[in-house]
Amino acid sequence: MGPASVAALPVKTGKVLVARPESTTFPNIAGPSALSEAAVGARPAMPAETTLATAETSFFENEERLRLAEAGGHIGTWEWNPSQNRQVISDELGRIFGVEPSDPELAPIWAARVWPEDWTKVQSLMQQGSQSGQMEFEYRYLHPEFGLRWLYCKGCRFENPRRMFGIVQDVTARKAAEEASQRLAALVESSDDAIVSKDLNGIVTSWNPAAERMFGFTAREMIGRSITTIIPPELRDDETRILSTIARGERIEHFDTVRMKKSGETIDVSLTVSPLKDETGRIVGAAKIARDITQRKKEERSLRMAERLAAVGRLAATVAHEINNPLEAVTNLVYLARTRSTSQEVLDFLGTAEDELARVGHLIRQTLGFYRETNGARRVRPSDLVNSVVAIFANRARNRRIDIVSEFHDDPWVNAIPGEIRQVLANLVSNSIDAISGPGRITIRVSSSRHWKGNCEPGARITVADSGSGIPPEAFRNIFEPFFTTKRDVGTGLGLWVCRSIVETHKGTIRGRTRSKPGQSWTVFSLFLPENLEEVAENEAGRPNGWLLKTA
């Protein structure tokens, strides 16, 4: 509608179109064109006055119905005659425009309130519509009471070539909903959290880009599939409980659980799940937001581990302090026994006991923090370290019908702290003995090798293999973690963690492989020590030292 044209649609009765002021009469409302014999059959003719009264009553009823329809749908009607610059609007359209339908300044008032940025478009489309006989557009309008509104206008030429009729509807609510939907869609698309919707059967109905990145499945792969696709089998009962909660109209917030990627890798997630309702308020599905908290969980575990290790350290320091005094007394007694014994066999046993007491003393000094053998590295033969450990465990292994076999393919010199490497080997051999329930075999092999990363530094490789029951893969991947143990009654979970720490201090690596299939079980640990500790330390400066686990 232009600055000089706003119109209202008149009521149509038969073929007569009327734009009716209150005093209008209807002389042509019931002529032959409206009521024919074919239409009324053989009914007797009615007086003209009766026919006119009936037609007027019908007209008023139709007009009232139209007003009710306009008010209920917030739709106003208009008539516009561009050639005569004449416009008529309905009462409902007057309310939509915030004007009186009879106001002679109706057109300029309306034009002044059209949003300035939209006026050129409205003017152009109305001009085109007056020529083509069709118009349809949306524009913004500044209502004097309700502020900025969105209006939808549609009109067409109807019978009379000079007049157009149409409607105007306030679509502000629809526009607001569309804009909110667009903002929500933009948020969903740009979110770093996975946002997924599903029906009450758990079938995925939407899958945003973050979900694609987090789980590895594309939207095309997941929409139409069950959400249990990303739930580990052992946790699928959780989904049943989630759907039951949603069906009751309840919300689930910050539910920490585990989900599975397309690759099979599991990740820690925090879920927030809300019911989805249709326009009638009926619950039809659920919207789920998943946040990857894997890193946070790792940090929490690391913090708890640090706290536990600190507590263990304080306890160990206390125990070590109490042990130190009697240990010194035992050491002195062994020394006195050696000076007074004449039997070579007894002297050998006492020498071994003295070496072990020295090792225990070293551990105590480390624990108390009074001494650290950082400058104690020297050139040693791995075979000497292996033989000393085998001697200690020989009787224990023999009593359990376990053979310990040493194989020295090569025996290269390495720079190492002997007491610490003996501690590593003793832990591995002790674990092997515990893993063999009946007759079995432990093989310790020494050979020349090279560092598997970096500059391939030469060194020695020591492997400890046993014919024990093996370790299940799900447990084996955690064996180097502190406090993790497969020994329910006697294990502390610190032995292999300490071993790894010692090996990494020596710039070496420790790797493991295992198989737990009955009748074909075994476990092997491979320890690499560089030939020149100082040279390796220099070459590996700033490079993380690793360890590798493999399961068969």
Side-chain angles (χ1 to χ4, degrees):
M1 288 165 288
S5 58
V6 178
L9 176 66
V11 177
K12 178 181 178 183
T13 304
K15 293 185 178 295
V16 180
L17 294 168
V18 183
R20 185 185 67 83
E22 291 300 321
S23 60
T24 302
T25 59
F26 305 93
N28 298 321
I29 197 69
S33 61
L35 298 171
S36 64
E37 290 186 2
V40 300
R43 294 179 183 177
M46 297 177 66
E49 294 80 1
T50 302
T51 302
L52 181 58
T54 302
E56 286 188 348
T57 299
S58 176
F59 181 88
F60 286 125
E61 289 176 352
N62 289 337
E63 190 175 38
E64 183 61 27
R65 291 191 188 101
L66 178 60
R67 279 197 293 267
L68 289 173
E70 287 182 356
H74 301 291
I75 300 173
T77 56
W78 52 266
E79 174 189 344
W80 175 37
N81 189 329
S83 61
Q84 298 179 3
N85 195 25
R86 174 177 171 273
Q87 58 280 323
V88 180
I89 67 173
S90 68
D91 291 341
E92 181 63 25
L93 187 53
R95 282 189 286 273
I96 292 173
F97 286 157
V99 298
E100 287 294 330
S102 59
D103 192 330
E105 298 298 317
L106 169 63
I109 291 173
W110 169 83
R113 293 177 181 172
V114 173
W115 193 247
E117 295 177 7
D118 295 346
W119 172 243
T120 301
K121 177 189 75 173
V122 170
Q123 199 173 29
S124 173
L125 291 173
M126 290 189 64
Q127 181 64 30
Q128 295 175 22
S130 67
Q131 297 173 0
S132 66
Q134 298 285 337
M135 69 172 69
E136 183 176 11
F137 54 87
E138 292 179 349
Y139 63 99
R140 287 167 291 181
Y141 182 83
L142 191 61
H143 194 282
E145 182 178 354
F146 305 123
L148 190 64
R149 314 295 291 176
W150 272 98
L151 303 182
Y152 166 75
C153 177
K154 184 172 184 178
C156 64
R157 188 178 293 121
F158 189 69
E159 293 191 359
N160 189 322
R162 291 186 300 274
R163 290 192 301 172
M164 296 191 68
F165 305 97
I167 63 166
V168 171
Q169 182 178 16
D170 189 329
V171 293
T172 306
R174 190 200 77 198
K175 278 289 188 179
E178 289 176 356
E179 291 175 1
S181 178
Q182 291 169 359
R183 287 194 298 270
L184 178 60
L187 287 173
V188 169
E189 289 296 304
S190 61
S191 173
D192 290 331
D193 295 331
I195 302 178
V196 178
S197 63
K198 59 187 178 182
D199 63 21
L200 291 178
N201 294 316
I203 302 302
V204 175
T205 55
S206 70
W207 188 264
N208 78 332
E212 294 183 342
R213 294 190 297 270
M214 188 178 298
F215 299 110
F217 291 97
T218 64
R220 178 171 296 186
E221 290 175 313
M222 281 303 298
I223 293 176
R225 293 177 66 178
S226 173
I227 195 67
T228 56
T229 303
I230 62 169
I231 301 178
E234 66 274 13
L235 295 177
R236 288 182 181 172
D237 287 344
D238 288 350
E239 180 63 15
T240 303
R241 288 191 290 271
I242 289 172
L243 290 174
S244 298
T245 301
I246 292 301
R248 295 194 299 269
E250 299 174 11
R251 175 183 168 93
I252 299 171
E253 294 190 25
H254 308 305
F255 172 54
D256 290 357
T257 185
V258 176
R259 289 296 180 260
M260 188 167 58
K261 292 185 175 184
K262 186 177 182 180
S263 63
E265 177 189 355
T266 57
I267 57 173
D268 294 300
V269 297
S270 177
L271 300 180
T272 296
V273 192
S274 304
L276 285 178
K277 300 179 180 179
D278 63 12
E279 61 275 6
T280 66
R282 184 171 60 93
I283 296 172
V284 295
K288 179 182 295 186
I289 301 175
R291 175 165 294 178
D292 188 341
I293 58 172
T294 304
Q295 186 59 37
R296 191 191 81 190
K297 286 291 186 179
K298 287 181 179 179
E299 292 171 355
E300 289 175 355
R301 286 193 289 267
S302 297
L303 180 60
R304 288 195 298 269
M305 198 71 69
E307 291 173 348
R308 293 177 67 184
L309 288 172
V312 169
R314 289 191 294 269
L315 177 61
T318 302
V319 172
H321 182 271
E322 296 302 318
I323 291 175
N324 194 45
N325 291 335
L327 181 64
E328 288 182 357
V330 173
T331 303
N332 291 334
L333 290 172
V334 170
Y335 172 76
L336 292 173
R338 287 189 66 185
T339 60
R340 286 167 172 74
S341 176
T342 58
S343 170
Q344 186 59 45
E345 185 178 10
V346 172
L347 289 173
D348 290 342
F349 285 146
L350 290 172
T352 301
E354 199 169 44
D355 290 342
E356 288 306 303
L357 287 171
R359 188 164 69 90
V360 173
H362 170 73
L363 293 175
I364 290 174
R365 288 190 296 273
Q366 285 181 323
T367 304
L368 291 172
F370 296 150
Y371 172 77
R372 185 68 178 173
E373 199 177 358
T374 52
N375 297 320
R378 63 176 186 268
R379 288 173 62 81
V380 295
R381 293 279 191 183
S383 60
D384 294 336
L385 303 176
V386 170
N387 286 332
S388 64
V389 171
V390 170
I392 295 170
F393 288 97
N395 287 336
R396 180 182 167 191
R398 188 164 45 251
N399 292 337
R400 300 186 62 171
R401 295 182 294 167
I402 299 172
D403 296 329
I404 300 180
V405 179
S406 300
E407 298 178 359
F408 304 110
H409 295 188
D410 293 298
D411 195 18
W413 289 98
V414 294
N415 272 352
I417 302 170
E420 292 190 351
I421 300 305
R422 269 196 297 266
Q423 183 180 346
V424 173
L425 294 175
N427 193 289
L428 295 177
V429 172
S430 178
N431 287 346
S432 292
I433 292 174
D434 291 338
I436 301 173
S437 57
R441 178 186 177 97
I442 299 173
T443 302
I444 306 175
R445 180 180 295 126
V446 177
S447 60
S448 295
S449 184
R450 287 186 175 274
H451 205 294
W452 64 278
K453 65 175 184 177
N455 293 327
C456 298
E457 294 293 333
R461 186 168 303 281
I462 306 172
T463 59
V464 180
D466 66 64
S467 58
S469 57
I471 305 172
E474 61 274 12
F476 196 72
R477 65 173 62 99
N478 297 314
I479 59 172
F480 286 105
E481 296 297 322
F483 303 109
F484 181 85
T485 180
T486 58
K487 303 175 185 179
R488 296 182 179 178
D489 300 324
V490 297
T492 64
L494 294 173
L496 288 176
W497 175 72
V498 171
C499 288
R500 186 183 69 172
S501 177
I502 291 173
V503 171
E504 290 181 345
T505 300
H506 284 73
K507 304 301 178 183
T509 58
I510 182 169
R511 298 184 288 174
R513 298 185 65 184
T514 188
R515 184 170 187 172
S516 56
K517 183 177 180 180
Q520 302 178 14
S521 58
W522 47 265
T523 300
V524 178
F525 282 94
S526 175
L527 164 66
F528 174 81
L529 297 173
E531 182 181 274
N532 190 324
L533 180 60
E534 294 180 359
E535 184 177 346
V536 172
E538 181 181 344
N539 291 339
E540 293 292 318
R543 186 192 298 271
N545 299 301
W547 49 272
L548 179 66
L549 292 178
K550 294 184 179 178
T551 60

